[in-house]
Amino acid sequence: MPQPLDAVLAEVRGLLLDPALTRAVAAGKRRGLTPSVNRAELRPVALKGGNRLQIVTDDGSRPYTRNVAPGAEAEAAIDALLAEPFGNWHVETAGTTVQVRITKKGDAQVHRAAAAEPAVTQGHDRAKQWLLDPGDPLFTVVGGTAAKRRQVDAFLRALAATLPDDLPDLRVVDLGCGNAYLTFAAYRYLTDRGVRVRVVGVDVREDQRVRNTAVAEQLGCADAVTFVAGTIEDAVVDQAPDLVLALHACDTATDQALARAVNWGARWVLAAPCCHHDIAKQLKSNPTPAPYGEITRHAILRERFADVLTDSLRSALLRLRGYRVEVVEFVDSAHTPRNLLLRARLTGAAPAEGQRAEYDALTAQWGVTPALEKLLT
């Protein structure tokens, strides 16, 4: 039920000044109003000079950190943030979590919950460490089921394992972004690391572009996260990206994304393939080489072999183009059977001796021509 905004913000103020505060985030914007910063995060810190309230604000260009003393200085800083027309507040203390969303009418929708008990993992009394806090305003906007949070966390761990630590600037393109919740999660995680990020999401549907742009407005990151409608092959992107994402693009759409990444010279690629119809059709049409008839005799086994063969050939083609490639599981198979991730880093290294011959022999033996090979010709 909507509540008067002034009363709710007074409650938030009390929580922000509470010594039990653990973390708070303000983001998004109210209808017709724009805050002076896109996002603000508050947390207590212990410094040599004593306890301070750390406030990190992001104006879309870079984060700015300041540490304010308890008392009048902290109160003034908090009052200034509460006066900003943020659309969402998320506040955590040792005893409670409060989420506030300001409606189009200027009222407040409030969700209050007792603080969760720390998760116990393998007998150790320590809280589960999420790379993106499950209470982040992102999940308020795009939805935050437990399954979605697990997939976001798994994806961000794969991303963290791919990128170097010293990364001040990054241009990202997400090809076939769909509803873009992983796009936004990547942006949020990287900006929290202090990286200056510019993200472009590409999807063939115009209604998705409109929807995702509205979400970016709500989250206060529309200057840094933009969307275009177009095909993976032809969508106009102003600058070649450093990082290309292609998550669950269907069939040869993954090949189109990989080809575009290679042609851009992207330094890193993360691609999670979806269905693999193209090679499967070729296997069905061609005689199976001896002595492998049993592998393709049954349709279900032929389909699974086609999955393995497709991603093996994709990996080989990327290696021939100077990428170092790893094929890993990025989320538990209980969440989705399409859980493989091609993780590639451009090294520029020449193919190893015999690598091209091995690829040619494999495709010739099975009588297949991968879509990616055609696209890179």
Side-chain angles (χ1 to χ4, degrees), residues 72-93:
E73 188 179 4
E75 291 179 16
I78 287 171
D79 289 340
L81 289 174
L82 290 171
E84 295 277 0
F86 289 116
N88 301 281
W89 275 93
H90 175 91
V91 185
E92 300 173 11
T93 72

Side-chain angles (χ1 to χ4, degrees), residues 352-376:
E353 183 179 354
Q355 192 172 322
R356 166 58 71 174
E358 183 179 292
Y359 171 84
D360 290 340
L362 182 59
T363 53
Q365 184 176 29
W366 286 97
V368 295
T369 304
L372 182 56
E373 178 183 328
K374 300 174 186 176
L375 293 166
L376 291 176

Side-chain angles (χ1 to χ4, degrees), residues 15 22 35 125 127 151 181 208 214 254 263 284 315 318 326 335 354:
L15 294 173
T22 57
D125 295 331
Q151 186 176 20
Y181 69 91
Q208 285 284 35
T254 293
N263 291 331
K284 187 176 181 181
S315 174
L318 289 173
E326 297 173 290
H335 180 71

Side-chain angles (χ1 to χ4, degrees), residues 120-178:
V120 178
T121 305
Q122 296 180 349
H124 298 286
D125 295 331
R126 57 181 178 85
K128 179 177 178 63
Q129 297 298 308
W130 299 90
L131 292 190
L132 186 65
D133 195 313
D136 191 282
L138 167 69
F139 296 111
T140 302
V141 177
V142 303
T145 65
K148 183 172 287 187
R149 291 196 299 270
R150 284 195 297 271
Q151 186 176 20
V152 166
D153 191 67
F155 163 65
L156 293 180
R157 292 185 185 279
L159 181 62
T162 303
L163 300 176
D165 293 332
D166 54 339
L167 198 67
D169 300 281
L170 191 67
R171 296 184 302 273
V172 182
V173 170
D174 188 351
L175 296 172
C177 64

Side-chain angles (χ1 to χ4, degrees), residues 117-285:
E117 292 294 325
V120 178
T121 305
Q122 296 180 349
H124 298 286
D125 295 331
R126 57 181 178 85
K128 179 177 178 63
Q129 297 298 308
W130 299 90
L131 292 190
L132 186 65
D133 195 313
D136 191 282
L138 167 69
F139 296 111
T140 302
V141 177
V142 303
T145 65
K148 183 172 287 187
R149 291 196 299 270
R150 284 195 297 271
Q151 186 176 20
V152 166
D153 191 67
F155 163 65
L156 293 180
R157 292 185 185 279
L159 181 62
T162 303
L163 300 176
D165 293 332
D166 54 339
L167 198 67
D169 300 281
L170 191 67
R171 296 184 302 273
V172 182
V173 170
D174 188 351
L175 296 172
C177 64
N179 63 15
Y181 69 91
L182 291 177
T183 317
F184 287 114
Y187 170 78
R188 181 75 86 207
Y189 166 69
L190 290 167
T191 53
D192 283 351
R193 273 181 49 174
V195 181
R196 182 177 178 177
V197 189
R198 291 289 180 270
V199 184
V200 178
V202 173
D203 195 89
V204 70
R205 292 170 50 184
E206 171 64 15
D207 62 325
Q208 285 284 35
R209 184 197 67 79
V210 173
R211 179 261 182 196
N212 293 337
T213 299
V215 171
E217 293 281 352
Q218 284 182 271
L219 292 172
C221 58
D223 292 339
V225 185
T226 58
F227 296 90
V228 297
T231 65
I232 288 175
E233 291 180 290
D234 300 325
V236 176
V237 176
D238 292 338
Q239 290 183 302
D242 306 298
L243 168 67
V244 170
L245 307 177
L247 305 169
H248 293 150
C250 190
D251 197 20
T252 56
T254 293
D255 300 292
Q256 294 165 7
L258 293 174
R260 191 134 199 218
V262 170
N263 291 331
W264 270 323
R267 297 170 63 190
W268 302 282
V269 184
L270 290 178
C274 188
C275 48
H276 300 70
H277 300 310
D278 182 53
I279 294 292
K281 289 179 181 178
Q282 295 183 54
L283 290 177
K284 187 176 181 181
S285 302

Side-chain angles (χ1 to χ4, degrees), residues 16 26 30 37 39-42 55 57 66 76-86 89:
L16 296 177
R30 299 175 203 169
V37 294
R39 186 172 187 266
E41 182 169 355
L42 302 83
I55 302 175
T57 55
R66 57 188 173 129
I78 287 171
D79 289 340
L81 289 174
L82 290 171
E84 295 277 0
F86 289 116
W89 275 93

